[in-house]
Amino acid sequence: MTNYQITLLPGDGIGPEILDVAVAVLNRVGEKLALQFEFKTALMGGAAIDATGVPLPDETLEICRNSDAVLLAAIGGYKWDTLPNSLRPERGLLGLRAGLGLFANLRPASILPQLIDASSLKREVVEGVDIMVVRELTGGIYFGQPRGIFETETGEKRGVNTMVYSESEVERIGRVAFEAARKRSGRLCSVDKSNVLEVSQLWRDRITQLSAEYPDVELSHLYVDNAAMQLLRAPKQFDTIVTGNLFGDILSDAAAMLTGSIGMLPSASLGVAGTPGVFEPVHGSAPDIAGQDKANPIAQVLSAAMMLRYGLNEPTAADCLEQAVQTVLDAGYRTGDIMSVGMKPVGCQAMGEALLAAL
Ligand code: IPM
Ligand code: MG
C-alpha cells in the first residue's frame, strides 16, 4: 500500500463542494489501486481571512510544505473584494506559489468531443483543439520590484509594477516547456512582446538559444497580441505554448474558453523536483452559485488526475479518473455550465455519484 499525504485547500465559494467530490473519487481509485491518501485540510483565501485575518496563514504553508501534493479548489468572493490588495484572497494564492517555488504552471486546454457544441466558436474551428499552456508563475510583473502606489513631489499618485525576468528564470521555464512539447506533438510556440519590451527580447533570445538543445522540437515565436488573435482565429495551429506570468494568465483564459467551459479545465503548478505541486481548477470560486449544488466538479476531479500524474507519478490512477470523466459525459450527465439539449441535468453531488459509479 503506497501512502500519500495530501493537503486540501477548499477555499471559498464552490470550493468545498467540488473538493468533496474529488476526495471521494480519489478514495475510490485508491481502493482499487492500493493507494492510501491521508488528507489534511487547511485554511486559505477568504476562509482564512475570516478565521485568522490573513489569506495564507503560516501554518497552512507549513502543512503544504510537509505534504506530497496540494489539492486546491478555489478562492475569493464579493465579501473580500473591497479589502486592500495585501489582504485579498488572491494574495494567498500568490503567496502559496512563491512560498513553494511553483514556477511552472501547466494549463491544458483540449476540447472533449462530447462538448464541442458548448464552445462559443464554430465546430470546425475548435474540433480537435489540444493545447498546453506553460505559464511562468513566480516571476514577471506579478512579483517584480519596485511595486506599489507612490506619491510624487507634486502629490500625484503613481502606480508602479515591474516586469522583470532573469535568464535563469527564462531558462528553467523554457526547459519545462521544451520537455512538455517533446512529449506532445513536438511543436512549441513562445509568446512575448519583444517588439516593445526589453524583458521580452531577453526572453526570446534565451528561448531561442535553448532550442539548440532540443533539435526535435520545432520552435516558433509570436507577439502576444497576435497570439491572442491566432488563438481565436485558428487554435489548432498551437500545440505547446510557453509564456510569462501575465501573458500566460490572459492567454490561458482565452484557451480555456475554446473548450466550451472553463468548468472542465485543471491545472498543475510545479516547482523543482521534490517540492509538492499545487493542483487546482482553472476556474474561480463562483460565489453566485456557491452552496446550491450547481457547480461542475469535473475540473477539480481532473486536477486530482493531474496531481496523480505529475505530482505523485501514479499515471494509472490518473488514467482511471480521466476515463471516469469520459464515461459520465458519454452517459449524458451534464451540470448547468455544459448542459445542452437532450442531456441529463445533474448537480454537483449527482455528478460526483456518477463519477464514483463509473469508477
Ligand atoms: C489565475 C488567476 C490568478 C492569477 C489570480 C486569482 C491571482 O487569475 O490563476 O489565473 O492571476 O494568476
Ligand atoms: Mg487567471
Side-chain angles (χ1 to χ4, degrees), residues 5-306:
Q5 313 283 329
I6 310 295
T7 303
L8 300 175
L9 302 174
D12 310 313
I14 59 170
E17 354 173 3
I18 57 176
L19 198 55
D20 279 349
V21 172
V23 167
V25 298
L26 277 170
N27 281 331
R28 178 66 56 90
V29 89
E31 282 161 25
K32 281 177 55 150
L33 300 175
L35 309 174
Q36 191 168 357
F37 301 105
E38 276 175 32
F39 298 105
K40 215 178 241 180
T41 303
L43 285 168
M44 187 174 126
I49 295 173
D50 289 349
T52 70
V54 292
L56 179 68
D58 293 342
E59 192 197 347
T60 295
L61 193 53
E62 211 38 46
I63 295 174
C64 292
R65 280 207 180 100
N66 291 324
S67 56
D68 295 308
V70 179
L71 193 57
L72 166 65
I75 53 143
Y78 316 124
K79 185 175 166 192
W80 307 281
D81 274 352
T82 50
L83 288 173
N85 247 347
S86 62
L87 286 177
R88 289 177 59 122
E90 288 81 355
R91 257 318 153 85
L93 191 54
L94 298 174
L96 184 69
R97 290 171 181 169
L100 295 175
L102 307 172
F103 66 89
N105 185 213
L106 308 185
R107 297 190 164 182
S110 48
I111 190 146
L112 297 171
Q114 300 94 330
L115 297 184
I116 287 184
D117 294 319
S119 176
S120 51
L121 276 80
K122 293 192 193 99
R123 170 178 280 268
E124 58 272 26
V125 175
V126 293
E127 194 162 30
V129 160
D130 181 9
I131 298 172
M132 174 69 87
V133 179
V134 179
R135 168 188 177 194
E136 198 291 326
L137 203 59
T138 50
I141 198 165
Y142 272 53
F143 291 93
Q145 293 290 344
R147 69 182 294 162
I149 297 178
F150 305 103
E151 206 158 304
T152 62
E153 279 153 23
T154 63
E156 192 193 12
K157 285 184 185 154
R158 291 179 77 211
V160 178
N161 290 90
T162 304
M163 192 185 274
V164 53
Y165 274 113
S166 59
E167 285 185 292
S168 55
E169 285 176 299
V170 179
E171 179 180 334
R172 66 179 183 178
I173 192 69
R175 287 196 188 281
V176 171
F178 276 106
E179 298 289 343
R182 185 173 258 178
K183 288 193 199 126
R184 295 169 48 91
S185 80
R187 283 180 300 123
L188 177 64
C189 178
S190 172
V191 174
D192 62 43
K193 188 70 187 174
S194 58
N195 51 345
V196 178
L197 305 175
E198 284 77 6
V199 55
S200 281
Q201 270 170 26
L202 181 93
W203 177 283
R204 189 176 284 219
D205 292 348
R206 196 67 196 94
I207 295 281
T208 305
Q209 277 171 12
L210 203 55
S211 70
E213 294 179 42
Y214 300 87
D216 51 323
V217 176
E218 186 193 315
L219 175 67
S220 61
H221 301 274
L222 282 182
Y223 300 136
V224 62
D225 48 350
N226 188 16
M229 182 177 73
Q230 296 299 334
L231 264 178
L232 302 180
R233 192 187 70 86
K236 278 181 266 186
Q237 69 186 284
F238 293 102
D239 178 63
T240 308
I241 294 177
V242 63
T243 190
N245 208 340
L246 179 62
F247 301 157
D249 178 46
I250 300 166
L251 294 181
S252 62
D253 266 26
M257 202 52 221
L258 298 172
T259 71
S261 172
I262 201 168
M264 298 291 299
L265 297 178
S267 76
S269 303
L270 307 171
V272 295
T275 35
V278 172
F279 302 86
E280 60 177 307
V282 167
H283 64 70
S285 58
D288 52 322
I289 58 164
Q292 299 170 35
D293 193 33
K294 286 183 181 166
N296 182 355
I298 291 181
Q300 184 77 70
V301 169
L302 292 175
S303 299
M306 281 192 103

Side-chain angles (χ1 to χ4, degrees), residues 304-320:
M306 281 192 103
M307 176 180 88
L308 292 165
R309 190 179 304 285
Y310 295 98
L312 306 178
N313 201 14
E314 294 286 355
T316 311
D319 289 344
C320 273

